[in-house]
């Protein structure tokens, strides 16, 4: 055993081994799973927000039986969340826990 607190160790190929970590498939998979869990948590959070869609409709028929042109129709469609806020928060929390585990 060397005397003192500092040992003079020479690690051969240490820099090469650290550089090779970026190409390790297990590391890439873990990074991809963590990113997917984060996106899943964001998706759950976005689902709890109200949505507003602008819908434009036009039939493919050029005219009706009386020869009148078919009009365009447009509407705003508001979709409100049917899941209570506490349940959405719980789902979001589960996605966040999954993200942290990945």
């Amino acid at each position: 055993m060397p005397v003192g607190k500092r040992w003079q160790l020479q690690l051969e190929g240490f820099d090469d081994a650290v550089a090779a970590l970026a190409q390790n498939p297990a590391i890439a998979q873990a990074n991809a799973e963590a990113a997917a869990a984060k996106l899943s948590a964001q998706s759950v959070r976005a689902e709890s927000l109200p949505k507003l869609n602008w819908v434009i409709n036009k039939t493919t028929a050029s005219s009706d039986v009386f020869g009148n042109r078919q009009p365009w129709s447009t509407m705003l469609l508001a979709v409100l969340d049917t899941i209570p806020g506490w349940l959405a928060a719980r789902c979001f929390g589960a996605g966040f826990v999954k993200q942290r585990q990945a």
Side-chain angles (χ1 to χ4, degrees), residues 35-90:
K38 183 177 182 180
L39 291 173
S40 176
Q42 290 174 351
S43 171
V44 169
R45 178 182 282 171
E47 281 296 317
S48 67
L49 300 174
K51 293 156 192 65
L52 184 64
N53 296 322
W54 182 19
V55 180
I56 301 172
N57 191 13
K58 173 80 166 100
T59 61
T60 57
S62 59
S63 61
D64 63 6
V65 293
F66 301 110
N68 299 324
R69 279 185 28 184
Q70 296 294 322
W72 290 86
S73 65
T74 181
M75 66 181 135
L76 287 175
L77 178 65
V79 180
L80 303 177
D81 187 20
T82 57
I83 299 176
W86 64 269
L87 184 58
R90 178 167 283 203

Side-chain angles (χ1 to χ4, degrees), residues 11-36:
L11 300 175
E12 296 295 325
F14 180 73
D15 293 331
D16 295 334
V18 170
L21 281 176
Q23 285 82 27
N24 188 331
I27 300 291
Q29 180 182 0
N31 288 336
E33 287 176 359

